[in-house]
Amino acid sequence: MRRPRLTFVETILVFNALFLCAHADEYTRLEVTPAEVTLEGKDSSIQLLVTGYDAEGRPTDLTHEAEYESDSDIVRANSFGVVRSQADGQATIAVKIAGQRVAVPVSTSHTHARLTLNFENDIIPILSRYRCNTSGCHGKAEGQNGFKLSVFGFDPTSDYQSIAMEGRGRRIFPASPSSSLILRKMSGGTPHGGGIPINTDRPEYRTILDWIQQGLPIGTDEDPVVVSLELTPRQRVFKMGETQQLRAMATLSDGRQIDVTELTQFQTNSPNQAVVDALGHVTAGQSPGTAAVMATYMGQVDVLQVFVPRSESIDSYPETRQENFIDGHVLENLKKLNIIPSGHCDDEQFLRRVYIDMIGTLPTSEEAREFLNSKKTNKRELLVDQLLAREEFSTYWALKWADLLRVDRLALGHENAYLYYNWIRESFQENKPLDQFAREVLVAEGPLRESPAGVFYKAVTSANKRASTVSQVFLGVRIECAECHHHPYDRWGQRDYFGMQAFFTQIQTKQSKAGEMLLTSGSPVTKHPRTGEPISAYALGTEMPEQSPEGDRRLILADWMTSPSNPWFSKNVVNRTWAHFLGRGIVEPVDDVRMTNPPSNPALLDALAIHFAEEQFDFHRLVKTIVMSATYQRTPDVNKTNERDEQNYSRYLFKQMEAEVLLDAISQVTGRPEKFEGVPAGSRAIELWDSSVPNYFLKVFGRPVRATACECERVSEPTISQVLHVINSPAIQKKLSHQDGRIRTISAEIADDKDAIEEIYLTCFARYPTAEELAVAVGYLEQAEDRQLGLEDVTWSVLNSLEFLFNH
């Protein structure tokens, strides 16, 4: 099971202070960047970075521990190393720490006036930095207390009008700028539900004040705009608990660079490995692994790549099992992190694990005995081949893809939903290459009875939703938020979104003698919702052509998407498949691929994607490659080096069984199939193509409703309701005690208590009981007044164990 995240930041800060005092003499060199500073304009600033190097050249960030002194009043430096202009002239900042001193010359100019004032360039960043325009504040749909801003500042014109003109102009008071309501609210002069985000001594306050004093300039098209953002540093190897101050520099279209660290928004994708505060101060965690710290400013993003190895090095790394190319890439990462992987799982663990992961079904006691007693050296590979050929394999994977592709009877109707599901199931049954599978969805046309993949366009009915769903399901890229504004954490803007939407605007449905038909016609024009600019159909990351292609535009999209050179398709499929088998994606969440959420092991993801494409997108071969790796076949047991690792596949992570799989497992153990309303008797939960079939167990254990394409719809974490249900469920008790159930059969046909307990353990765990388990269970049966009830109690206790409820 996953461990809760640890709270450590306060402890680490104290530790760092003590560490620096104790090791002040260990830094052989002190470096301050930039070595020289030029500041231009009022309130211009720069974030100094102070780095100490030991004898081996390893850097340590000392920015927050150094002392800063200025020899002149023309600049000031705070305790965090931020140097800010006060007047024109020349000065020197003395940076002192660990007995060393570095002088930084500073030149300032034009400090009594703003170089330019532009609403979009100067005011919007302040509103974004202090979260005024987020969905939790004035950026939500209805605004807040009568004041509404566009979310993340995507519509500056509307925001300008809202601030300067709406509310009878009451938010701005040009005659006395400091009395303006917007400033009084921000600085605490008037009660404000959002607190006091900006004190009157802050440069952001002065910027807004100057903007009002200068007559609320909106700016011109000739004003420079931000074209890129760069973080310093961009890569860093941290000791656990170590810190690093970041500096964010924006490059403008006129070539100037300005420090925007104080207005940049920072976020981490993995808080166990690194956290970051609002001013870009990063603290490494106590769990080894990798993380990305994202910085965003005015639609531009950059990333700090964080690498946190264990503090204890490994002098002699042990020989570790390798079965295929996967293991080499995983081991290379583990060695860098000073982590030794857990050992190889035994046959009992592998048997149950691979059955559940591949076919969503427990092995029977007969199958368990046969496999465990086999002496064949390649029996694991033979088992995998057998499972790939079983009907349950296609049934189980059809269930998973039916979630993603929205097989919803309530939305589609019974006939269409079943046609759609059956096409998915048959595709996996015949091992249809997944590039062909995706292509059939994208370019489906004609009668839906003959082209059931086209029901996708009935499940997702609008061109904009089709664009975002296709991107998320087949590319793992979320573009939905770019419909309204620039993606806050990625490069996608509204033009990219509507470029994808334009591929789907030709699609129409009509009735015919052959039933409902899907067809494309015309050449509809897509326009940018704010600018009115015509947007041609073009794929993500490509150049927009002057006009959309002739004919069915989806053919162009399908060719691009399923090409072996596509940067996302292969990686998306292998990442989703890897996450299923290993419990965590190489990119996590699996459907949120972006530059600011990089893979934890890029070499592994690339190698898997190349392998998948070279194998002609063969899903069976991909599955076999993964499950035959030593990485997949590791034990879940921890050692002292990997007990905190949940990111790098040094052990097999406990995974809760999915709702349908767990219900089928309980039915299989008890010998009593679940009866689903309106479904033929004997049907299993993984065979339910209709996600709206009512069932309390499936609801409690997180079956998705298929309203979106997001993996997050399926609840994968345990809940109190689930625990209480398994402990107290009358339905489970009824299955256990049923007169035609498995427990009664065991009681009647297996007279020896040891053999009866062995049968229960093989049925539930695919393993024989240990001597201690056998003794305890047999002892309980000997004391029970009724042997049947005693066997039921033993089985119920087994059903409530973590070993049964989780795959491991």
Side-chain angles (χ1 to χ4, degrees), residues 616-787:
Q616 309 300 314
F617 303 96
D618 187 313
F619 187 64
H620 282 195
R621 292 185 184 180
L622 173 63
V623 168
K624 184 174 180 178
T625 299
I626 292 174
V627 300
M628 289 306 298
S629 68
T631 302
Y632 176 77
Q633 296 185 34
R634 291 197 176 113
T635 174
D637 300 333
V638 300
N639 58 49
K640 67 177 183 179
T641 71
N642 72 359
E643 60 184 353
R644 292 182 180 272
D645 175 41
E646 297 185 351
Q647 184 191 61
N648 303 288
Y649 318 110
S650 60
R651 54 191 168 89
Y652 187 88
L653 297 176
F654 271 61
K655 298 182 301 186
Q656 181 175 345
M657 283 195 275
E658 295 152 311
E660 297 89 344
V661 175
L662 182 56
L663 180 55
D664 283 345
I666 292 173
S667 298
Q668 182 175 328
V669 166
T670 60
R672 297 306 305 161
E674 187 79 0
K675 180 63 181 77
F676 299 103
E677 184 179 319
V679 177
S683 296
R684 299 182 56 200
I686 65 169
E687 297 172 338
L688 294 178
W689 56 270
D690 180 6
S691 62
S692 61
V693 171
N695 185 274
Y696 181 74
F697 184 99
L698 296 179
K699 180 180 179 181
V700 168
F701 279 83
R703 174 182 62 176
V705 296
R706 297 178 180 170
T708 71
C710 185
E711 286 276 358
C712 58
E713 269 203 16
R714 182 176 290 277
V715 178
S716 58
E717 298 294 331
T719 66
I720 294 296
S721 298
Q722 294 171 3
V723 174
L724 294 175
H725 184 76
V726 176
I727 292 175
N728 301 306
S729 170
I732 296 178
Q733 168 60 33
K734 186 177 180 180
K735 288 176 181 286
L736 281 169
S737 59
H738 198 282
Q739 62 179 3
D740 295 326
R742 187 180 304 280
I743 307 308
R744 183 174 292 273
T745 300
I746 292 174
S747 177
E749 296 181 0
I750 304 178
D752 184 86
D753 287 347
K754 291 184 179 180
D755 291 342
I757 297 300
E758 180 182 283
E759 180 70 15
I760 291 173
Y761 268 71
L762 284 168
T763 301
C764 294
F765 298 146
R767 67 171 177 85
Y768 294 97
T770 65
E772 182 180 2
E773 290 169 335
L774 190 60
V776 170
V778 170
Y780 182 81
L781 290 181
E782 291 174 347
Q783 296 176 9
E785 296 181 2
D786 184 296
R787 185 169 183 265

Side-chain angles (χ1 to χ4, degrees), residues 318-337:
E319 287 292 326
T320 305
R321 192 167 185 160
Q322 297 189 45
E323 298 292 344
N324 57 36
F325 69 90
I326 287 174
D327 304 315
H329 291 295
V330 173
L331 281 173
E332 183 178 358
N333 212 38
L334 293 178
K335 288 177 181 178
K336 292 178 182 177
L337 293 167

Side-chain angles (χ1 to χ4, degrees), residues 80-139:
F80 297 150
V82 178
V83 178
R84 195 177 314 279
S85 64
Q86 302 294 313
D88 292 355
Q90 307 287 326
T92 299
I93 299 291
V95 181
K96 296 184 289 186
I97 190 170
Q100 300 189 54
R101 180 183 185 277
V102 175
V104 179
V106 181
S107 174
T108 62
S109 61
H110 304 104
T111 56
H112 297 293
R114 308 278 173 190
L115 295 183
T116 60
L117 266 177
N118 176 299
F119 178 77
E120 183 172 357
N121 291 346
D122 297 300
I123 307 303
I124 290 293
I126 298 174
L127 301 176
S128 298
R129 162 64 179 82
Y130 292 98
R131 306 185 65 79
C132 305
N133 55 21
T134 62
S135 58
C137 197
H138 298 286

